Amino acid sequence: MFVGSELGAMIARFYTQIYQDDISHIVMVNPLVETLFDEDSGLWNKFWYENLLPKWYSYAIGSIIGLNRFLIMSNFLKPQINSDSMPQNITNRQKFLMSNPKHLFSLVDEFINLNETFDQMKLIWSIKQFPQNVSITILTGKNDDMFVSSDLFEADSNRLNSLKNVN
């Protein structure tokens, strides 16, 4: 079994297509799909490059100059995943990562290069069908607390249904 969330779900699909005899089931949580930027009149593309990427790039710059650490200590910048029941070690880890330039710039690089990842997935789909012996479970929510507004996930329903139909 292979489990992946968002971009990790795409990696799970890719791995499954290459090593189909090693995987019997994949679980995808809020999966990204390779046609994400091709549909919905550019809604996802606009969100990704005009909202998400600038936000994380500003966090990366802030981490270099120490601004993030100051904002975290001042309680102006809070961890992305936050609740009263959150264990302190997880909150502390998030604070550390929000102050770590290497971590944040690697995230920005991944966001910037997502189109290349999508192109690679389109290529493998054109070369090889998804294995029929692998079952798929897709878990989604109305929204993703960390990044995405619910209208973007609702716009995803047709794409997610196409994933269900590969098997």
Side-chain angles (χ1 to χ4, degrees), residues 47-66:
F47 171 77
W48 199 268
Y49 289 105
E50 293 180 15
N51 295 77
L52 195 61
L53 189 57
K55 171 185 171 181
W56 287 100
Y57 189 73
S58 68
Y59 285 157
I61 297 295
S63 70
I64 288 175
I65 62 174

Side-chain angles (χ1 to χ4, degrees), residues 2 21 36 48 52 78 104 131 166:
F2 203 145
D21 294 333
L36 183 69
W48 199 268
L52 195 61
K78 299 187 187 296
L104 292 170
V166 298

Side-chain angles (χ1 to χ4, degrees), residues 68-108:
N68 290 10
R69 187 175 306 272
F70 173 74
L71 292 173
I72 289 168
M73 291 170 60
S74 305
N75 224 18
F76 286 109
L77 182 60
K78 299 187 187 296
Q80 295 292 312
I81 304 171
N82 200 354
S83 78
D84 293 334
S85 62
M86 182 74 59
Q88 190 60 43
N89 64 330
I90 293 176
T91 301
N92 291 342
R93 179 74 177 154
Q94 288 183 79
K95 289 178 180 180
F96 168 77
L97 292 174
M98 288 299 296
S99 300
N100 183 331
K102 287 182 182 179
H103 170 74
L104 292 170
F105 275 107
S106 67
L107 180 66
V108 168

Side-chain angles (χ1 to χ4, degrees), residues 107-166:
L107 180 66
V108 168
D109 285 345
E110 188 65 48
F111 285 169
I112 289 171
N113 295 314
L114 191 61
N115 275 329
E116 187 174 329
T117 303
F118 287 164
D119 287 342
Q120 291 168 348
M121 283 302 296
K122 289 175 188 175
L123 177 63
I124 195 164
W125 276 108
S126 70
I127 294 170
K128 185 177 181 184
Q129 292 284 356
F130 192 83
Q132 297 296 309
N133 63 319
V134 177
S135 57
I136 300 171
T137 300
I138 300 174
L139 305 173
T140 62
K142 289 266 185 215
N143 61 27
D144 180 326
D145 295 343
M146 288 177 43
F147 305 122
V148 182
S149 63
S150 61
D151 59 326
L152 289 172
F153 272 116
E154 288 171 17
D156 250 7
S157 61
N158 289 338
R159 245 186 321 278
L160 294 177
N161 284 333
S162 72
L163 284 177
K164 290 177 186 174
N165 294 330
V166 298

